[in-house]
Amino acid sequence: MKAINTLRMGGADILPLVEGGKGVSVSTGASAGAWAAAGGAGTVSIVNADSYDAQGNVVPQIYHGRTRRERHEELVNYAIAGGIAQVRIAHEMAGGKGRIHANILWEMGSAERVIMGVLEGTKGLIHGLTCGAGMPYRLADIATQYGVHYYPIVSSARAFNALWKRSYNKAAGLLGGVVYEDPWRAGGHNGLSNTENPLGPEDPYPRVLALRQAMRGFGLDDTPIIMAGGVWWLEEWEDWIDNPELGPVAFQFGTRPLLTTESPIPEAWKQRLRTLRQGDVYLNRFSPTGFYSSAVNNSFLQELQARSERQVAFSAEPVGTHVVPYGVGARKREVFLAAEDLEHAQNWEAQGFTEAMRTPDSTLIFVTPDRAREILADQADCMGCLSECRFSNWSQRGPSYSNGHKADPRSFCIQKTLQDVAHASGPDQDAVMDNNLMFGGTNAWRFSTDPFYSNGFVPTVGQLVERICTGR
């Protein structure tokens, strides 16, 4: 195995090992600070991070505003306070070693306000900004304003080319690196294009080589590329290390830090990771962001899948084969179905899925009354955690703060489920894990086969980094 040598990144020589950012209270100051202390780049997520009261207890993110706009302002305040708290913890734990990065999703509601609020409150403590989930053109401007390096997350050379030409060429000196996030293998939200097959993962090497060639065309020969998604043992990536064709490469680990002593996720989540088998994590299209996302196959995803399968097209007027009247809702407002779809609807009703809910695509889905009430309550409680949301029709742009579309009941409140899964406690943790969204990279099944984790061993972050450096 080749030696893992330091790499120049963000103005310092560090190990080419980066902690992947995981939002909503998962990539915390403790995890990031420990990763930096081990010599790499630790990442604090400032996507609705936890803050603490005077006794050190997590402050629950409870919303009191009567309108979505009022709740959105509460969310922004929570995010800024939590981001500041976690960055300060990371800085203290790092002890001046490594680098501390802050990660945010560009499609998060009021992302720019949150980034700048956290930077204002932590001047000199953050070394780099990592940002993806969209096209963050303004990232370079913000980095320049605060004098920090920036690390855009892309899934193709084409995406970086667009970012560079529109914005990043004006701040080349602060471009600390480019994160290539593999859209088939990375955990969380992924950047698959409409022309890419979610079931046909491509070899990352040609895609990263194309990214390097594009960067060389802009004079970025020595700017590191950070490979994210699917990295487990570095001996499997040995041909990427010190490869002159690829240039300087670092490796990002998002899933593996979940199973460490510093990881804040509930014990039931850590135990679930140990039981995964190949294929238990997969890409799905249910996210209210519109992106594909990679998550553990559990009852939560299975219910969403079944919800979409219990679906028929309808017409507001009798047209074509849609001539059979059907009453929707408490007032039984009339729409028209095809005869065979009426039969499907009646079969679902007989099974207890008696509530028909309209989607923006002129279809009906059929759910139980309890599920319908939950969906409507979650939509009503929206706090605008995304810049736009398919589930609630929220948009952060005024004056209406609506995206102009009907809310889609085939999706879910992502803020609610990620808060619940990150903060589960007590004897019902297993049920919480099964009935909420659990993000993970597609390699998460390797926890159950990697001898490093045998006999129930849970490493510290320092022990994990040390192990990664062996290549095994």
Side-chain angles (χ1 to χ4, degrees):
M1 176 64 197
K2 295 177 182 175
I4 307 301
N5 299 313
T6 59
L7 186 69
R8 192 72 177 174
M9 187 184 301
D13 294 324
I14 64 172
L15 290 173
L17 308 177
V18 179
E19 178 191 17
K22 299 168 287 295
V24 186
S25 310
V26 174
S27 289
T28 62
S31 177
W35 196 281
T43 303
V44 172
S45 170
I46 56 175
V47 179
N48 300 106
D50 284 338
S51 52
Y52 307 97
D53 62 21
Q55 289 72 45
N57 301 310
V58 172
V59 176
Q61 294 193 16
I62 298 172
Y63 296 86
H64 304 283
R66 297 182 62 185
T67 68
R68 289 191 301 186
R69 184 61 182 165
E70 291 171 348
R71 293 191 293 272
H72 181 71
E73 290 303 309
E74 294 178 74
L75 176 135
V76 171
N77 292 333
Y78 277 131
I80 293 172
I84 291 171
Q86 298 301 331
V87 168
R88 288 175 175 169
I89 292 170
H91 172 75
E92 291 297 322
M93 290 191 63
K97 299 177 182 177
R99 300 277 88 178
I100 299 296
H101 293 175
N103 173 263
I104 195 163
L105 308 179
W106 196 246
E107 295 302 325
M108 174 183 168
S110 297
E112 291 187 49
R113 290 175 59 195
V114 173
I115 293 172
M116 291 190 287
V118 173
L119 286 169
E120 284 287 346
T122 59
K123 289 182 177 179
L125 306 187
I126 294 174
H127 305 113
L129 294 175
T130 306
C131 188
M135 294 293 281
Y137 294 110
R138 284 265 301 141
L139 184 62
D141 296 335
I142 296 170
T144 299
Q145 181 178 343
Y146 288 92
V148 299
H149 289 84
Y150 64 104
Y151 299 80
I153 301 173
V154 301
S155 295
S156 68
R158 181 181 179 183
F160 180 74
N161 184 68
L163 290 166
W164 177 265
K165 290 182 176 179
R166 178 166 171 176
S167 173
Y168 295 174
N169 67 89
K170 303 170 188 175
L174 287 175
L175 182 63
V178 179
V179 181
Y180 170 77
E181 185 176 72
D182 189 283
W184 292 276
R185 299 170 179 85
H189 289 107
N190 296 344
L192 277 167
S193 72
N194 292 331
T195 61
E196 291 167 332
N197 180 4
L199 301 179
E202 297 180 12
D203 181 357
Y205 189 96
R207 295 170 67 94
V208 172
L209 177 58
L211 174 59
R212 174 58 72 192
Q213 290 168 340
M215 292 171 64
R216 285 192 173 117
F218 304 135
L220 303 173
D221 305 61
D222 298 324
T223 301
I225 293 175
I226 302 165
M227 174 63 207
V231 183
W232 197 268
W233 296 329
L234 286 186
E235 65 182 3
E236 298 170 335
W237 300 78
E238 191 168 9
D239 59 332
W240 288 51
I241 300 170
D242 299 328
N243 183 330
E245 188 175 46
L246 291 179
V249 172
F251 297 94
Q252 180 167 298
F253 298 83
T255 300
R256 290 194 72 174
L258 289 173
L259 193 54
T260 59
T261 58
E262 291 89 346
S263 171
I265 65 174
E267 184 61 29
W269 190 345
K270 294 182 180 181
Q271 292 303 319
R272 181 79 173 93
L273 290 171
R274 294 183 175 279
T275 68
L276 296 177
R277 297 294 181 263
Q278 193 166 8
D280 281 351
V281 178
Y282 75 102
L283 292 173
N284 66 85
R285 283 299 301 267
F286 303 119
S287 173
T289 63
F291 291 105
Y292 276 93
S293 70
S294 176
V296 174
N297 184 12
N298 60 4
S299 294
F300 180 82
L301 288 186
Q302 291 162 18
E303 191 277 329
L304 287 167
Q305 180 68 44
R307 195 187 300 178
S308 285
E309 289 172 352
R310 294 188 300 271
Q311 184 170 195
V312 296
F314 74 87
S315 174
E317 302 290 339
V319 59
T321 60
H322 291 77
V323 294
V324 181
Y326 182 80
V328 176
R331 298 183 181 180
K332 297 300 179 183
R333 292 180 176 174
E334 191 173 75
V335 298
F336 296 88
L337 308 181
E340 62 269 25
D341 286 338
L342 177 63
E343 185 177 346
H344 291 315
Q346 291 171 338
N347 286 335
W348 293 326
E349 289 174 343
Q351 297 171 43
F353 303 105
T354 56
E355 296 297 314
M357 305 188 77
R358 300 177 190 235
T359 79
D361 299 326
S362 295
T363 65
L364 301 175
I365 63 167
F366 290 78
V367 297
T368 65
D370 285 346
R371 184 67 67 187
R373 283 190 288 270
E374 179 185 24
I375 290 170
L376 293 173
D378 288 347
Q379 289 173 338
D381 290 342
C382 172
M383 72 294 288
C385 68
L386 301 172
S387 60
E388 288 197 10
C389 180
R390 292 185 173 186
F391 181 66
S392 73
N393 85 2
W394 160 261
S395 172
Q396 67 186 22
R397 292 187 294 273
S400 67
Y401 300 105
S402 170
N403 60 23
H405 302 291
K406 293 179 180 177
D408 194 337
R410 294 169 295 189
S411 190
F412 57 91
C413 177
I414 195 165
Q415 175 74 197
K416 173 188 171 185
T417 188
L418 293 180
Q419 288 284 359
D420 287 352
V421 80
H423 296 103
S425 61
D428 63 343
Q429 284 188 42
D430 287 331
V432 174
M433 296 305 113
D434 196 41
N435 292 287
N436 284 283
L437 184 66
M438 298 174 64
F439 280 141
T442 54
N443 261 351
W445 63 272
R446 298 182 71 169
F447 283 117
S448 65
T449 61
D450 190 330
F452 184 55
Y453 300 97
S454 61
N455 299 318
F457 178 61
V458 178
T460 64
V461 166
Q463 289 171 324
L464 174 60
V465 171
E466 181 181 4
R467 179 71 170 193
I468 290 171
C469 285
T470 70
R472 299 189 299 273

